[in-house]
Amino acid sequence: HQSSKEWKELSGKPFVQILDPATGTGTFLKHTILLIYKTLIEKWEKEGFSREKINQLWNDYVPKHLLTRIYGFELMMAPYAVCHMKLGLVLKETGYKFKDNHRLQVFLTNALEPPNAEAGLPLFDAYIADEVRNANDAKAFKRFSVVIGNPPYAGISSNHGEWITRLIDTYRFVDGQPLAEKKVWLKNDYVKFLRLSQNIVDVAGQGIVGMITDHSYLDSPTFRGLRNSMLRSFSNICILNLHGNSKRRENAPNGEADENVFDITQGVAIGFYVRGGRTDSSVYYSDIWGERAQKYDQLVDSSVSKMNFSLIVPKPAFYSFVPISMSAAKEYSLGWFIGDVFSLGSNGVQTSRDSLVLAASRKELTDRFDWIRSDAVTDAEICKACGVEDKSFWSLRNARKALRVDRNWASRVIAYTYRPFDNCWLYASSNFVHRLRREVMQHMEHANLALCVGRAGLVVDGAWNLVFTTKTICDHNLFYRGSSLNLPLYRYHDSDDLIKQGRSHNIEYQFSVELARILKQNLNRHTNLPEGITPEDIFHYAYAMFYSPDYRSRYAEFLKMDFPRLPLTSSLELFRELAKLGGTLVALHMMESPKLDEHITKWVGGKSLEVENITYSDETVWIDKAKTEGFQEVPEPVWGFHIGGYQVCEKWLKDRKGRKLSKDDIEHYQKIVVALSETIRLMAEIEKAIEKHGGWPGAFKQKE
């Protein structure tokens, strides 16, 4: 655009701002300067200028239109100093000769702070005072049409300034409505830099943002407000997803390994955001899979114009920046949101101090808290022994005071579902546990069953897997990533009114009405359920549906974004078949099925029984380095079976590393293997039942 009218109008005005506290502003500025240098040299050579004239033109251009228009904000002193040195050398190599009054517009400042934020800092000398003034002037009075950077991906951000926090609040709304999330994870530094860049271009009225960041914001539910805001600010959005997310265990579509372009676990994406004259927004998407070297080669050889971008249409309410199937989206949306099937539900218990409030046995935990009650033990001894420390919201001293006057303290030791197939004991007191979720978990202290489902789930081998069941209260991190939504089957009532005492099912009335209509059954006025259908039938039907392999793969792209939706069938026969299969699954997962006693593995080895090093080979799970002790005849699909982020057979043993397995431990592990083997078999049976009744989507009549 060097000769265009727009370029001439911008001449002499600020052009590029670099925000890059992660790797050093100098890297981006160096490539920007070299790109401009290369472009101008090619232009002048085509116009027939001599080498001497070109050198003169370059020396005229740099002080007037380059140094005055490219700005860098750098937070750290070392990259700041290196940046000045590096760019001085780069410009010298191009033939530019610095003069006394020429300087680089790279300032030592926090880009996430507003103008004048540094004014209160002690000014040790005139140079620092001048640096502060220049940085503030750039923030307050300059306008930038291009912003590029590689911000840090720091979930626990140290940037809590009021100004940037207020800007980020824009991302807490979608189409003017609050996100309605209990937790909104918008504190990551890269999100703040995206918001800052968006604001800079909004103020300028037009421009381009180019950022390489964590790719989580492309489809995570938490960031739907961000995406909605970006669509309002920018007329063209181009997303290049570089994947490489080891947390999601991403694999290339052809099944081959996918590597990150950096040495990090988060996936990476490059985003180009263009604000022009249009009021509508077009979003284009492309991605690169494979090994790191392959990705580097493609990036070196490509440009935005050469990439094979596809137009996508982000739709309410998630406004996803990744492609989704519109036909599958409509089909999926007609299912019942699982939170609307049950009246009451909440996240799992968040202890914030597992090592203090959890134990493998009731006696161990009771003895521990009897010791904690003792006046002979100091707070420091407890903190050291249990690996805890005081927080702004919790004090061990105050918790101990409450414990000593609690006459019923021993009764607070209750059974607890910690991980899939891994139960322990919890000291369930709000004085020691961060979030007990009493409004829901109180119902799990009685005979009950709860459906545990996750949101934005891991997709392992193309399948979603965030579903389990429990009959006790359960942990926040049941599925490893994020919290589980726990939906009790029954609600217990404690009332002076004898009629209201006892329990009632937790199934939503509107769901019951719809299910009765679809199944062509009358609604029982006493149970508020379809005639002949029990609460357990509905629970088991949902459980079977969520273990359907085709359901998991067919709707994988939507299951990555939200809690699952439940398709309904109009066939009473299929409903009952699936409910029966789901009931069998629940019994297996609750370790209550008689099938679990039919072990398919055998223990081999000596008597040490200590979990030292877990490996798998020749259908054997070894627990020692020498591979002399372990469980034989563990099928490979069972060994690799995941529930959430946990590879069950490996995780259970990892949590016991350094401990000796008891006879009960060995038997329990053998039952886990049976349960998983049967789960795999039953998942195939679920698919056969669906196929027999018309397959997907014909077997299901969704609500209108």
Side-chain angles (χ1 to χ4, degrees):
H1 304 289
Q2 176 66 19
S3 61
S4 70
K5 179 182 177 182
E6 290 80 5
W7 180 276
K8 289 176 180 177
E9 289 176 351
L10 284 169
S11 182
K13 299 177 183 178
F15 177 43
V16 179
Q17 182 178 13
I18 313 295
L19 310 170
D20 183 32
T23 59
T25 308
T27 303
F28 271 120
L29 279 172
K30 173 185 174 182
H31 289 291
T32 303
I33 290 171
L34 289 175
L35 178 60
I36 293 172
Y37 174 71
K38 178 184 176 182
T39 303
L40 290 177
I41 295 301
E42 290 176 353
K43 173 183 179 294
W44 292 327
E45 285 178 345
K46 286 181 180 179
E47 292 176 356
F49 291 113
S50 65
R51 188 65 215 176
E52 183 179 353
K53 180 62 176 178
I54 288 175
N55 190 54
Q56 179 189 333
L57 289 169
W58 176 244
N59 272 268
D60 289 340
Y61 176 86
V62 170
K64 293 179 182 179
H65 304 303
L66 189 65
L67 296 183
T68 59
R69 298 171 63 206
I70 297 185
Y71 286 71
F73 289 171
E74 177 55 65
L75 178 63
M76 297 180 287
M77 184 64 193
Y80 167 78
V82 170
C83 176
H84 278 269
M85 180 181 68
K86 183 185 292 186
L87 296 182
L89 292 172
V90 168
L91 284 168
K92 184 178 179 181
E93 290 171 2
T94 65
Y96 176 69
K97 297 177 182 179
F98 271 95
K99 296 181 180 179
D100 292 341
N101 62 337
H102 296 169
R103 70 153 289 173
L104 297 164
Q105 305 295 324
V106 178
F107 304 117
L108 189 64
T109 184
N110 186 344
L112 297 178
E113 293 289 349
N116 299 319
E118 301 93 340
L121 295 175
L123 302 180
F124 296 104
D125 54 36
Y127 177 80
I128 294 180
D130 187 57
E131 189 78 1
V132 171
R133 275 194 303 271
N134 287 331
N136 279 324
D137 285 347
K139 291 179 178 180
F141 305 117
K142 304 299 181 183
R143 298 293 177 262
F144 301 94
S145 57
V146 178
V147 187
I148 59 178
N150 175 23
Y153 316 160
I156 309 296
S157 172
S158 59
N159 293 295
H160 303 297
E162 181 182 349
W163 180 76
I164 190 62
T165 300
R166 192 168 60 249
L167 277 182
I168 285 291
D169 284 344
T170 302
Y171 294 163
R172 298 180 182 275
F173 296 84
V174 174
D175 294 328
Q177 299 298 316
L179 290 179
E181 301 279 355
K182 292 186 177 180
K183 286 190 177 182
V184 181
W185 297 103
L186 294 173
K187 296 181 180 180
N188 199 305
D189 274 337
Y190 86 86
V191 177
K192 293 176 180 176
F193 276 91
L194 278 173
R195 182 66 185 95
L196 171 64
S197 305
Q198 178 187 1
N199 184 66
I200 289 169
V201 173
D202 282 346
V203 169
Q206 62 178 5
I208 302 171
V209 173
M211 288 276 176
I212 181 166
T213 67
D214 184 329
H215 73 173
S216 300
Y217 78 96
L218 300 181
D219 59 2
S220 171
T222 295
F223 300 118
R224 63 188 188 275
L226 180 157
R227 297 188 292 270
N228 182 231
S229 180
M230 289 292 198
L231 289 168
R232 292 197 301 270
S233 284
F234 298 98
S235 53
N236 278 285
I237 297 172
C238 290
I239 301 296
L240 179 57
N241 193 346
L242 301 178
H243 298 285
N245 193 326
S246 61
K247 291 182 177 180
R248 292 187 182 180
R249 295 180 175 85
E250 286 194 312
N251 286 315
N254 59 8
E256 295 181 359
D258 181 61
E259 295 180 347
N260 201 299
V261 293
F262 303 133
D263 292 323
I264 58 176
T265 58
Q266 301 100 314
V268 175
I270 301 174
F272 301 98
Y273 297 87
V274 181
R275 183 183 176 99
R278 290 168 41 203
T279 55
D280 59 330
S281 183
S282 297
V283 181
Y284 299 88
Y285 177 89
S286 187
D287 52 16
I288 298 178
W289 297 91
E291 297 178 352
R292 179 185 294 187
Q294 295 173 329
K295 292 181 179 181
Y296 284 172
D297 289 342
Q298 290 186 62
L299 290 169
V300 168
D301 294 336
S302 299
S303 64
V304 174
S305 59
K306 292 180 180 178
M307 288 297 299
N308 184 25
F309 283 98
S310 299
L311 178 67
I312 63 174
V313 183
K315 294 286 188 179
F318 286 96
Y319 295 105
S320 176
F321 280 2
V322 298
I324 61 173
S325 165
M326 288 298 104
S327 59
K330 182 178 180 180
E331 180 184 308
Y332 181 69
S333 67
L334 293 175
W336 273 78
F337 177 69
I338 193 61
D340 293 337
V341 175
F342 296 88
S343 301
L344 181 72
S346 79
N347 293 343
V349 172
Q350 185 177 350
T351 73
S352 294
R353 48 195 72 90
D354 286 4
S355 57
L356 176 66
V357 298
L358 298 181
S361 69
R362 180 196 288 270
K363 184 178 186 306
E364 179 185 350
L365 197 56
T366 304
D367 289 348
R368 182 189 300 163
F369 274 84
D370 195 26
W371 173 70
I372 291 172
R373 292 176 72 245
S374 172
D375 292 331
V377 183
T378 67
D379 290 349
E381 287 177 298
I382 295 170
C383 286
K384 183 177 180 181
C386 298
V388 295
E389 58 183 20
D390 284 0
K391 300 288 185 182
S392 59
F393 53 84
W394 182 78
S395 160
L396 176 61
R397 182 181 180 183
N398 292 337
R400 293 183 74 194
K401 284 182 180 179
L403 176 63
R404 292 188 184 107
V405 298
D406 184 0
R407 295 182 179 180
N408 298 317
W409 69 271
S411 66
R412 307 199 189 284
V413 177
I414 63 174
Y416 190 61
T417 299
Y418 186 55
R419 299 289 182 262
F421 297 101
D422 195 353
N423 297 337
C424 61
W425 295 85
L426 168 75
Y427 189 74
S429 164
S430 58
N431 294 314
F432 288 88
V433 174
H434 189 186
R435 291 190 174 93
L436 266 176
R437 322 281 189 194
R438 285 288 302 165
E439 70 281 3
V440 170
M441 293 304 170
Q442 62 179 326
H443 302 288
M444 298 305 299
E445 294 175 6
H446 308 276
N448 212 337
L449 197 62
L451 179 67
C452 307
V453 292
R455 181 187 199 185
L458 289 166
V459 175
V460 179
D461 297 329
W464 171 84
N465 53 31
L466 297 188
V467 58
F468 200 62
T469 185
T470 179
K471 57 182 179 181
T472 68
I473 67 174
C474 74
D475 193 77
H476 177 83
N477 289 320
L478 179 68
F479 297 123
Y480 179 61
R481 284 189 73 245
S483 179
S484 61
L485 174 62
N486 303 282
L487 303 161
L489 182 56
Y490 288 101
R491 302 170 69 170
Y492 282 82
H493 311 283
D494 185 8
S495 171
D496 294 333
D497 187 341
L498 292 176
I499 297 176
K500 294 183 178 180
Q501 286 181 350
R503 74 177 188 179
S504 60
H505 67 71
N506 190 34
I507 308 297
E508 267 288 349
Y509 176 75
Q510 291 299 329
F511 173 80
S512 294
V513 171
E514 179 68 8
L515 182 62
R517 184 188 70 81
I518 288 178
L519 290 177
K520 297 181 176 61
Q521 301 295 306
N522 294 326
L523 190 70
N524 187 306
R525 294 185 178 182
H526 297 290
T527 65
N528 281 333
L529 294 174
E531 198 68 57
I533 302 294
T534 67
E536 285 78 8
D537 290 336
I538 294 172
F539 187 100
H540 294 155
Y541 171 82
Y543 206 67
M545 285 302 313
F546 296 153
Y547 270 89
S548 158
D550 276 0
Y551 172 88
R552 293 179 169 196
S553 59
R554 187 179 187 86
Y555 303 126
E557 55 193 325
F558 314 109
L559 292 166
K560 288 191 293 183
M561 294 187 287
D562 202 0
F563 292 108
R565 288 179 171 269
L566 181 64
L568 298 182
T569 178
S570 59
S571 167
L572 184 61
E573 183 183 355
L574 177 58
F575 179 90
R576 294 204 179 282
E577 282 187 49
L578 292 178
K580 182 178 179 181
L581 290 166
T584 305
L585 272 175
V586 168
L588 287 165
H589 294 174
M590 289 295 90
M591 307 300 275
E592 294 173 345
S593 170
K595 186 74 176 179
L596 298 171
D597 294 326
E598 301 173 15
H599 297 170
I600 62 174
T601 60
K602 60 181 180 180
W603 170 261
V604 294
K607 297 181 179 180
S608 73
L609 303 176
E610 182 179 339
V611 182
E612 180 185 31
N613 185 57
I614 303 114
T615 56
Y616 178 80
S617 61
D618 300 325
E619 290 200 334
T620 303
V621 180
W622 304 105
I623 68 167
D624 63 329
K625 292 180 181 178
K627 297 185 178 180
T628 59
E629 294 188 328
F631 299 89
Q632 283 187 335
E633 298 178 27
V634 178
E636 188 170 348
V638 170
W639 166 250
F641 195 88
H642 282 75
I643 295 178
Y646 300 116
Q647 185 176 333
V648 178
C649 286
E650 181 183 47
K651 174 64 177 173
W652 192 91
L653 288 170
K654 273 188 173 181
D655 285 348
R656 286 153 181 78
K657 201 167 183 179
R659 287 166 45 183
K660 286 190 174 182
L661 297 181
S662 67
K663 182 180 178 181
D664 288 343
D665 288 335
I666 292 174
E667 184 177 3
H668 183 79
Y669 192 82
Q670 290 177 312
K671 288 182 176 181
I672 291 175
V673 173
V674 174
L676 295 181
S677 177
E678 283 296 294
T679 297
I680 294 169
R681 182 185 68 80
L682 288 167
M683 289 172 73
E685 290 297 316
I686 290 168
E687 222 46 67
K688 287 179 182 178
I690 294 172
E691 191 63 32
K692 185 174 68 174
H693 288 84
W696 291 91
F700 301 95
K701 180 178 181 180
Q702 311 293 355
K703 70 184 180 72
E704 297 297 332

